[in-house]
Amino acid sequence: MIVAALAFYLFAGVTVGSAVMVIAARNPVHSVLFLILAFINSAGLFVLLGAEFLAMILVVVYVGAVAVLFLFVVMMLDINITALREGFLQYLPTGGMIGLVLFVELVLVVGGWSLEPELAAPKATPTPALTELSNTEALGGVIYTDYVYLFQGAGLVLLVAMIGVIVLTLRVRVGVRKQRIGRQVARRREDAVELKKVASGDGA
Amino acid sequence: MPAVPADLLPVAAEIWLALVGMALLMFGAFRGHRATRLIAGLAVGAFIVAAVLIIGPASRATLALGGLFVVDTFAVFMKTLVLIGAALTLIMSLGYIRREDMERFEFPVLVLFATLGMMMMVSANDLMALYIGLELQSLSLYVIAAFRRDSLRSTEAGLKYFVLGALASGMLLYGCSLVYGFTGTTRFAALAALFAAPGAEPATGVVVGLVFIAAGLAFKVSAVPFHMWTPDVYEGAPTPVTAFFSVAPKIAAVALLLRVMMQPFGGLEAQWQQIVVFISVASMLLGAFAALVQTNIKRLMAYSSIGHIGYALLGLAAGTEAGVRGVLIYMAIYLAMNVGAFGCILAMRRQDRMVEDIDDLAGLSRTHPLMALALGIFMFAMAGIPPLAGFFAKLYVFLAVIEAKLYVLAVIGVLSSVVAAYYYLRIVKIMYFDEAADPFDRPIGRELSLVLAGTGVFTLFFFVYPRPLLSVAQTAAAALFP
């Protein structure tokens, strides 16, 4: 039990710490790296809760795709970080006030929170207990059988998204030098390099 | 040859369209943009085959794919309308995409996928299936709204539609999650059984979820107060795309709205009726009054379609079988009138450029008498003047509303249709009595003439033999009331 508690405090502490660093770091690339750290530690928290599928998805989707995309954007955009920070003190009072109000509201909500008894037992379809079936197994059991229609439909939605991106952005430009891998590979030394004997003194 | 599993037979049309869509995509990728016309023709052929696959075996309600998908006479009726709308607009767009430098093979493919999404919506029997179909349809529509990517107005239309549509999808999804959270199921049948149980008071969360779902769907049918995107998107999108927007997605979304309100939430009629009454009245009034000051004919058609949705929703507000039948008849006739009117708008070209102002129609009766006659028929029909088809569309809806004793609603409907008649008849007046402007380009194209003739004849002579449509709509409506 003590190990689980220690693990929880480790993951939670690192998550909160790196979340603070996301907004505090001076270099935006460091911010994104801290964001990735925060995601991975939240995944650890999910594992502690027994939601191992959610943990994997968090790592695969958020770390693998979203954060890397952020990293690309941050690296490609020329963001002037000092200009962004200029108004910091000026906005601090208003921002702080809003933050305080949100915090108080959250405390009130969490303080008065209780689950309605009718919610505890969903009415129509009960879910199996975690001890019988792990999340991944439970999902895997239905996604390609009962819900294959939705799975294929989602696939079509992604296909349309891909077509859409290509339709809206791909432009055929003329006069662009493109890499032709076949020609690169087929190139031999004799075609590319020509050795000329130059008599000394003729170089001019 | 392995036997086709019986479970897949009801889904044959959808599977067929998905396969054809992917095949055409590959074909286009190899053949390039020269093949656009051919691909559009093949897509129309695929729609016809799909219609045969739908109408052929249909008799009684069947569930498929683990109960996520339902085929009944209602679905067959609505899918047939959607397919007709998609096929007609694709045929009408052939000339336009050739002239206006839109000749890219993805256009017919995206229209095909959008149509597939609509058919999935119509047949949805589960909140998740509903959402997947809706997204497949919406995503394709966002892209074709922005299809002329070098035109500022088209890209603006696409972006606006995308941002607002994503918001609406979010609301819908939030509503679905609330309903699931408070009931524990997403199946329509299970939801219906839960709410129909006598003496069961629905949880507050379910009602909140229902409101969110209604808001999301109201956005998709562009009913007031979720109509803001409609005029801008209709004006900015390429004209054939606008023609497509104004028929097929509307019909599919109305079908979805009918099914969701009648089947899973049928037991909550007391809760949703006031919402539907409000959006219906607001749509009729805004459609009538905001259109009065429009000068661009595509914007005018946008407000006109908002108004028509208001009238169609009157039938849903009645909540009876006669009301649903009225909606079905309304959508069928709306399809014919709207496709025809957009056919005329597509023929508004002067020196090879599209013109969109209402004043450009001045004196059309002298320069193009046949086109003026056709547009005149559609305008009189939309205004609801007997004996044209549009009159009967309104008649059946109003009859159902009066039977349901919602007299105020009927009075508001009739009054707003009087106001709306002003701007429809103004177009007729401009065409027939104003000084002739420069004539439009000729010829308007064979495909366009055929579509105009077909829809015009249907609109004009519907009253001679209305029985087939009425009886089909009757059986289709009965499917929602088991």
Coordinates of all heavy atoms in Angstrom, one line a residue, chain B residues 146-200:
Chain B
A146 N -15.2 25.0 -49.0 CA -14.0 25.7 -49.2 C -13.3 25.2 -50.5 O -12.1 25.5 -50.7 CB -13.0 25.6 -48.0
F147 N -14.1 24.6 -51.4 CA -13.4 23.9 -52.5 C -12.7 24.8 -53.4 O -11.6 24.5 -54.0 CB -14.4 23.0 -53.2 CG -13.8 21.9 -53.9 CD1 -13.5 20.7 -53.2 CD2 -13.5 21.9 -55.3 CE1 -12.9 19.6 -53.8 CE2 -12.9 20.8 -55.9 CZ -12.6 19.7 -55.2
R148 N -13.2 26.0 -53.6 CA -12.5 27.0 -54.5 C -11.5 27.7 -53.6 O -11.8 28.8 -53.1 CB -13.5 27.9 -55.1 CG -14.3 27.3 -56.1 CD -15.1 28.3 -56.9 NE -14.3 29.2 -57.7 CZ -14.7 30.2 -58.3 NH1 -16.0 30.6 -58.2 NH2 -13.9 30.9 -59.1
R149 N -10.4 27.1 -53.3 CA -9.5 27.6 -52.3 C -8.8 28.9 -52.6 O -8.2 29.5 -51.8 CB -8.5 26.5 -51.9 CG -7.7 26.1 -53.2 CD -6.8 25.0 -52.8 NE -6.0 24.7 -54.0 CZ -5.1 23.7 -54.1 NH1 -5.0 22.9 -53.1 NH2 -4.5 23.5 -55.2
D150 N -8.9 29.3 -53.9 CA -8.3 30.5 -54.3 C -9.2 31.7 -54.2 O -8.9 32.8 -54.4 CB -7.7 30.5 -55.7 CG -6.5 29.5 -55.7 OD1 -5.8 29.5 -54.8 OD2 -6.5 28.7 -56.7
S151 N -10.5 31.4 -53.9 CA -11.5 32.4 -53.7 C -11.6 32.7 -52.2 O -11.8 31.8 -51.4 CB -12.8 32.0 -54.3 OG -13.9 32.4 -53.5
L152 N -11.5 34.0 -51.9 CA -11.6 34.4 -50.5 C -12.9 34.0 -49.9 O -13.0 33.6 -48.8 CB -11.3 35.9 -50.4 CG -11.0 36.4 -49.0 CD1 -9.6 35.8 -48.6 CD2 -10.9 37.9 -49.1
R153 N -14.0 34.3 -50.7 CA -15.3 34.0 -50.1 C -15.5 32.6 -49.8 O -16.1 32.2 -48.8 CB -16.4 34.6 -51.1 CG -16.5 36.1 -51.1 CD -17.2 36.5 -52.3 NE -18.6 36.2 -52.2 CZ -19.4 36.1 -53.3 NH1 -18.9 36.3 -54.5 NH2 -20.6 35.8 -53.2
S154 N -15.0 31.7 -50.7 CA -15.2 30.3 -50.5 C -14.5 29.8 -49.3 O -15.0 29.0 -48.5 CB -14.8 29.5 -51.8 OG -14.8 28.2 -51.6
T155 N -13.2 30.2 -49.2 CA -12.5 29.8 -48.0 C -13.1 30.3 -46.7 O -13.1 29.6 -45.7 CB -11.0 30.2 -48.1 OG1 -10.9 31.5 -48.5 CG2 -10.2 29.3 -49.1
E156 N -13.6 31.5 -46.8 CA -14.2 32.1 -45.6 C -15.4 31.3 -45.2 O -15.7 30.9 -44.1 CB -14.6 33.5 -45.8 CG -15.2 34.2 -44.6 CD -15.9 35.5 -44.9 OE1 -15.6 36.1 -45.9 OE2 -16.9 35.8 -44.2
A157 N -16.2 30.9 -46.3 CA -17.4 30.1 -46.0 C -17.0 28.8 -45.4 O -17.6 28.3 -44.4 CB -18.1 29.9 -47.3
G158 N -16.0 28.1 -45.9 CA -15.6 26.9 -45.4 C -15.1 27.0 -43.9 O -15.5 26.2 -43.1
L159 N -14.3 28.0 -43.7 CA -13.8 28.2 -42.3 C -14.9 28.4 -41.3 O -15.0 27.8 -40.2 CB -12.7 29.3 -42.3 CG -11.9 29.3 -41.0 CD1 -11.1 28.1 -40.9 CD2 -11.1 30.6 -41.0
K160 N -15.8 29.3 -41.7 CA -16.9 29.7 -40.8 C -17.8 28.4 -40.5 O -18.1 28.2 -39.4 CB -17.8 30.7 -41.5 CG -18.3 31.8 -40.6 CD -19.0 32.9 -41.4 CE -18.5 34.2 -41.0 NZ -18.9 35.3 -41.9
Y161 N -18.1 27.7 -41.6 CA -18.9 26.5 -41.4 C -18.2 25.5 -40.5 O -18.8 24.9 -39.7 CB -19.1 25.9 -42.8 CG -20.2 24.9 -42.9 CD1 -21.2 24.8 -41.9 CD2 -20.2 23.9 -43.9 CE1 -22.2 23.8 -42.0 CE2 -21.2 23.0 -44.0 CZ -22.1 22.9 -43.0 OH -23.1 21.9 -43.1
F162 N -16.9 25.4 -40.7 CA -16.1 24.4 -39.9 C -16.1 24.8 -38.5 O -16.4 24.0 -37.6 CB -14.7 24.3 -40.5 CG -13.8 23.5 -39.6 CD1 -14.0 22.2 -39.5 CD2 -12.7 24.1 -38.9 CE1 -13.2 21.4 -38.7 CE2 -11.9 23.3 -38.1 CZ -12.2 22.0 -38.0
V163 N -15.8 26.1 -38.2 CA -15.7 26.4 -36.7 C -17.1 26.3 -36.0 O -17.2 25.7 -35.0 CB -15.2 27.9 -36.6 CG1 -15.2 28.4 -35.2 CG2 -13.8 28.0 -37.1
L164 N -18.1 26.8 -36.7 CA -19.4 26.8 -36.1 C -19.9 25.3 -36.0 O -20.6 24.9 -35.0 CB -20.4 27.7 -36.8 CG -20.1 29.1 -36.6 CD1 -21.0 30.0 -37.5 CD2 -20.1 29.6 -35.2
G165 N -19.7 24.6 -37.1 CA -20.1 23.2 -37.1 C -19.4 22.4 -36.1 O -20.0 21.5 -35.5
A166 N -18.1 22.6 -35.8 CA -17.4 21.9 -34.8 C -18.0 22.2 -33.4 O -18.2 21.3 -32.6 CB -15.9 22.2 -34.8
L167 N -18.4 23.5 -33.2 CA -19.0 23.8 -32.0 C -20.3 23.1 -31.8 O -20.6 22.5 -30.7 CB -19.3 25.4 -32.0 CG -19.8 25.9 -30.7 CD1 -18.8 25.9 -29.6 CD2 -20.4 27.3 -30.9
A168 N -21.1 23.0 -32.9 CA -22.4 22.3 -32.8 C -22.2 20.9 -32.5 O -22.9 20.3 -31.7 CB -23.2 22.5 -34.1
S169 N -21.2 20.3 -33.2 CA -20.9 18.8 -32.9 C -20.5 18.6 -31.5 O -20.9 17.6 -30.9 CB -19.8 18.4 -33.8 OG -20.2 18.3 -35.2
G170 N -19.7 19.6 -31.0 CA -19.4 19.5 -29.6 C -20.6 19.5 -28.6 O -20.7 18.7 -27.7
M171 N -21.5 20.4 -28.9 CA -22.7 20.5 -28.1 C -23.5 19.2 -28.2 O -24.0 18.6 -27.2 CB -23.6 21.6 -28.6 CG -23.0 23.0 -28.2 SD -24.3 24.2 -28.2 CE -24.6 24.5 -29.9
L172 N -23.6 18.7 -29.4 CA -24.4 17.4 -29.6 C -23.7 16.3 -28.8 O -24.4 15.5 -28.1 CB -24.4 17.1 -31.1 CG -25.2 15.9 -31.5 CD1 -26.6 16.2 -31.7 CD2 -24.6 15.3 -32.8
L173 N -22.4 16.2 -28.9 CA -21.7 15.1 -28.3 C -21.8 15.3 -26.7 O -22.0 14.3 -26.0 CB -20.2 15.2 -28.7 CG -19.4 13.9 -28.6 CD1 -20.1 12.9 -29.4 CD2 -18.0 14.2 -29.2
Y174 N -21.8 16.5 -26.3 CA -22.0 16.7 -24.8 C -23.3 16.3 -24.4 O -23.5 15.6 -23.4 CB -21.8 18.2 -24.5 CG -21.8 18.6 -23.1 CD1 -21.0 17.9 -22.2 CD2 -22.7 19.6 -22.6 CE1 -21.0 18.2 -20.8 CE2 -22.7 19.9 -21.3 CZ -21.9 19.2 -20.4 OH -21.9 19.5 -19.1
G175 N -24.4 16.6 -25.2 CA -25.7 16.1 -24.9 C -25.8 14.6 -24.9 O -26.3 14.0 -23.9
C176 N -25.1 13.9 -25.9 CA -25.1 12.5 -25.9 C -24.5 11.9 -24.7 O -25.0 10.9 -24.1 CB -24.4 12.0 -27.1 SG -25.1 12.4 -28.7
S177 N -23.3 12.5 -24.2 CA -22.6 12.0 -23.1 C -23.5 12.1 -21.8 O -23.5 11.3 -21.0 CB -21.3 12.6 -22.9 OG -21.4 13.9 -22.5
L178 N -24.2 13.3 -21.7 CA -25.1 13.4 -20.6 C -26.2 12.4 -20.6 O -26.5 11.8 -19.5 CB -25.7 14.8 -20.6 CG -24.9 16.0 -20.0 CD1 -25.6 17.3 -20.2 CD2 -24.6 15.7 -18.6
V179 N -26.8 12.2 -21.7 CA -27.9 11.2 -21.8 C -27.3 9.8 -21.4 O -27.9 9.0 -20.7 CB -28.5 11.1 -23.2 CG1 -29.4 9.9 -23.4 CG2 -29.3 12.4 -23.4
Y180 N -26.1 9.5 -21.9 CA -25.5 8.2 -21.6 C -25.2 8.1 -20.1 O -25.5 7.1 -19.5 CB -24.2 8.0 -22.4 CG -23.5 6.7 -22.1 CD1 -24.1 5.5 -22.3 CD2 -22.3 6.8 -21.5 CE1 -23.4 4.3 -22.0 CE2 -21.6 5.6 -21.1 CZ -22.2 4.4 -21.4 OH -21.6 3.2 -21.0
G181 N -24.7 9.2 -19.6 CA -24.3 9.2 -18.2 C -25.5 8.9 -17.3 O -25.4 8.3 -16.2
F182 N -26.7 9.5 -17.6 CA -27.8 9.4 -16.8 C -28.7 8.2 -17.0 O -29.6 7.9 -16.3 CB -28.7 10.7 -16.9 CG -28.1 11.8 -16.0 CD1 -27.1 12.6 -16.5 CD2 -28.6 12.0 -14.7 CE1 -26.6 13.6 -15.7 CE2 -28.0 13.0 -13.9 CZ -27.1 13.8 -14.4
T183 N -28.5 7.5 -18.2 CA -29.3 6.4 -18.5 C -28.5 5.1 -18.6 O -29.0 4.0 -18.4 CB -30.1 6.5 -19.8 OG1 -29.1 6.7 -20.8 CG2 -31.0 7.7 -19.7
G184 N -27.2 5.2 -19.0 CA -26.4 4.0 -19.1 C -26.5 3.3 -20.4 O -26.1 2.2 -20.6
T185 N -27.2 4.0 -21.4 CA -27.3 3.3 -22.7 C -27.3 4.4 -23.8 O -27.6 5.5 -23.5 CB -28.5 2.5 -22.8 OG1 -28.5 1.8 -24.1 CG2 -29.8 3.3 -22.7
T186 N -26.8 4.0 -25.0 CA -26.9 4.9 -26.1 C -27.9 4.4 -27.2 O -28.1 5.0 -28.2 CB -25.5 5.1 -26.8 OG1 -25.0 3.8 -27.1 CG2 -24.6 5.8 -25.8
R187 N -28.4 3.2 -26.9 CA -29.3 2.6 -27.9 C -30.7 3.3 -27.9 O -31.2 3.6 -26.9 CB -29.6 1.1 -27.6 CG -28.4 0.2 -27.6 CD -27.9 0.1 -29.0 NE -26.5 -0.4 -29.0 CZ -26.2 -1.6 -29.3 NH1 -27.1 -2.4 -29.7 NH2 -24.9 -2.0 -29.4
F188 N -31.2 3.5 -29.1 CA -32.4 4.2 -29.2 C -33.6 3.4 -28.6 O -34.4 4.0 -27.9 CB -32.8 4.5 -30.7 CG -32.0 5.7 -31.3 CD1 -31.1 6.4 -30.5 CD2 -32.2 6.1 -32.6 CE1 -30.4 7.4 -31.0 CE2 -31.5 7.1 -33.1 CZ -30.6 7.8 -32.3
A189 N -33.6 2.1 -28.9 CA -34.7 1.3 -28.4 C -34.7 1.3 -26.9 O -35.7 1.4 -26.2 CB -34.5 -0.1 -29.0
A190 N -33.5 1.1 -26.3 CA -33.4 1.1 -24.8 C -33.8 2.4 -24.2 O -34.5 2.5 -23.2 CB -32.0 0.7 -24.4
L191 N -33.4 3.5 -24.9 CA -33.8 4.8 -24.4 C -35.3 5.0 -24.4 O -35.9 5.5 -23.5 CB -33.1 5.9 -25.2 CG -31.6 6.2 -24.9 CD1 -31.1 7.1 -26.0 CD2 -31.4 6.7 -23.6
A192 N -35.9 4.6 -25.5 CA -37.3 4.7 -25.7 C -38.0 3.9 -24.6 O -39.0 4.4 -24.0 CB -37.7 4.2 -27.1
A193 N -37.6 2.7 -24.4 CA -38.2 1.9 -23.3 C -38.1 2.5 -22.0 O -39.1 2.5 -21.2 CB -37.6 0.5 -23.3
L194 N -37.0 3.1 -21.7 CA -36.7 3.8 -20.4 C -37.7 5.0 -20.2 O -38.2 5.1 -19.1 CB -35.3 4.3 -20.4 CG -34.6 4.3 -19.1 CD1 -34.5 2.9 -18.5 CD2 -33.1 4.8 -19.3
F195 N -37.8 5.8 -21.3 CA -38.6 7.0 -21.1 C -40.1 6.7 -21.2 O -40.9 7.5 -20.8 CB -38.2 8.1 -22.1 CG -36.8 8.5 -22.0 CD1 -36.0 8.7 -23.1 CD2 -36.3 8.7 -20.7 CE1 -34.7 9.0 -23.0 CE2 -34.9 9.1 -20.6 CZ -34.2 9.3 -21.7
A196 N -40.5 5.6 -21.9 CA -41.9 5.3 -22.1 C -42.5 4.7 -20.8 O -43.7 4.6 -20.7 CB -42.1 4.4 -23.3
A197 N -41.6 4.2 -19.9 CA -42.1 3.5 -18.7 C -43.1 4.5 -17.9 O -42.7 5.6 -17.7 CB -41.0 3.1 -17.8
P198 N -44.3 4.0 -17.6 CA -45.2 4.9 -17.0 C -44.8 5.4 -15.6 O -44.2 4.6 -14.8 CB -46.5 4.0 -16.8 CG -46.0 2.6 -16.9 CD -44.8 2.6 -17.8
G199 N -45.0 6.6 -15.4 CA -44.7 7.2 -14.1 C -43.2 7.5 -13.9 O -42.8 8.0 -12.8
A200 N -42.4 7.3 -14.9 CA -40.9 7.5 -14.8 C -40.7 9.0 -15.0 O -40.9 9.5 -16.1 CB -40.1 6.7 -15.7

